[in-house]
Amino acid sequence: MALTLVGTTLQAAPSCDKPVYLTFDTGHMGVAPLIADTLKRFDAKATFFLANEPTQTGGQTLDAQWAPWWKNLATQGHDFGPHTWDHDTWLEDLPDGRFKMRRAAGVQKPQIVELTAQQYCESLDKVAQRFTEMTGKKMGPLFRAPAGKSSPALLAATKACGYTHVGWSAAGFLGDELSSQSHPNAQLLERALRDIKPGDILMAHLGIWSRQDPWAPAVLEPLMQGLKDKGMCFAPLREHPRYAPLFASLEAKRSEGKAVASKP
């Protein structure tokens, strides 16, 4: 990966001429090892957005059982960002500056909660802190709102606390959360290979409870191979032209902080 000078900021250049940006949100984690192994075999970098969700083994995605898995993944050059701690999906802005949220993940019974901007930011920070505890590394400056739902007020609030939202491209919605009866894997694969173009941000999950015919075992490898055959490569979001300056700025601030801390 090369660095080019854009203005006064070092910007990461994409790893190839036709990058696509694979992203994964947490889920029940049943297919997480398969996804990690597939990425490694393709020497592909991705971006993961983390929430503390229920797993198939009765734990949580950010508990002690999964800490070594996240730590190993973090050593492989992927990017990571928060997805809120409790998987809070924005519903509406409230008149007093709070936000109405639907709190639910996987098999959890949904709750309606109201959060201040500070509380929402604290939720993102809690994920980032837990990630550092598990891996010894820092998260990037990006986050993903559950279901991709937000508002200008929510995005302004998260921007103020250091996080920029990342959605996905229309063609990059890989459909793993859709019904496998109405959207079978073969159909999802065909559509993705037909529609995905260089520069697209792709989105899937580390396991979806409701899908009876799991997506990743059937689709991920042939999708990556098909895109690779079209000359595309898989880059982390730190190489995306929209987000690379944010990573560069964050790294510069962290370096300045270390320099100040090391002075006698």
Side-chain angles (χ1 to χ4, degrees):
M1 180 184 70
L3 290 176
T4 55
L5 194 63
V6 179
T8 57
T9 303
L10 281 175
Q11 179 171 321
S15 303
C16 72
D17 292 335
K18 299 179 179 180
V20 292
Y21 303 88
L22 268 171
T23 71
F24 295 92
D25 299 347
T26 40
H28 61 53
M29 303 299 280
V31 295
L34 180 148
I35 289 173
D37 289 345
T38 304
L39 293 173
K40 192 170 184 179
R41 282 190 286 108
F42 277 84
D43 192 25
K45 306 309 178 192
T47 303
F48 295 82
F49 293 100
L50 283 59
N52 194 40
E53 303 187 43
T55 64
Q56 287 183 328
T57 55
Q60 302 290 126
T61 53
L62 304 184
D63 64 17
Q65 176 187 347
W66 284 99
W69 187 82
W70 289 115
K71 184 174 183 178
N72 183 57
L73 203 66
T75 65
Q76 297 173 16
H78 303 289
D79 285 335
F80 302 86
H83 193 43
T84 75
W85 182 264
D86 293 305
H87 204 266
D88 291 325
T89 302
W90 176 89
L91 296 177
E92 64 176 297
D93 297 341
L94 298 175
D96 58 1
R98 292 176 299 155
F99 305 99
K100 181 182 287 188
M101 302 278 175
R102 182 179 185 269
R103 177 169 292 174
V107 293
Q108 292 176 335
K109 184 179 179 179
Q111 305 175 54
I112 302 300
V113 299
E114 296 179 2
L115 300 178
T116 64
Q118 180 179 346
Q119 288 171 326
Y120 193 89
C121 285
E122 288 172 351
S123 173
L124 301 178
D125 288 341
K126 187 175 181 180
V127 176
Q129 180 180 352
R130 177 57 182 156
F131 180 77
T132 299
E133 291 171 356
M134 293 189 296
T135 69
K137 297 181 180 296
K138 301 286 188 181
M139 277 189 161
L142 308 179
F143 88 102
R144 173 169 289 154
K149 294 185 177 180
S150 64
S151 69
L154 182 63
L155 296 184
T158 55
K159 190 78 170 178
C161 61
Y163 297 98
T164 296
H165 183 255
V166 177
W168 52 85
S169 306
F173 178 74
L174 298 177
D176 63 334
E177 59 194 288
L178 300 174
S179 164
S180 54
Q181 283 69 44
S182 59
H183 296 82
N185 286 325
Q187 180 188 95
L188 294 176
L189 176 60
E190 179 183 9
R191 183 183 69 184
L193 288 174
R194 181 192 68 211
D195 294 345
I196 291 172
K197 301 293 187 295
D200 281 344
I201 297 175
L202 319 184
M203 187 276 293
H205 300 78
L206 301 181
I208 292 292
W209 292 88
S210 60
R211 189 171 176 88
Q212 294 183 356
D213 185 12
W215 174 87
V219 178
L220 182 60
E221 183 168 349
L223 172 63
M224 294 182 69
Q225 186 62 55
L227 295 177
K228 183 178 179 181
D229 291 344
K230 291 184 175 184
M232 300 184 209
C233 70
F234 307 96
L237 285 173
R238 69 174 56 245
E239 297 182 15
H240 191 288
R242 185 184 308 149
Y243 305 117
L246 298 176
F247 279 91
S249 176
L250 181 61
E251 290 301 322
K253 289 178 181 178
R254 287 173 176 170
S255 296
E256 290 173 4
K258 290 179 182 178
V260 170
S262 64
K263 288 182 178 181

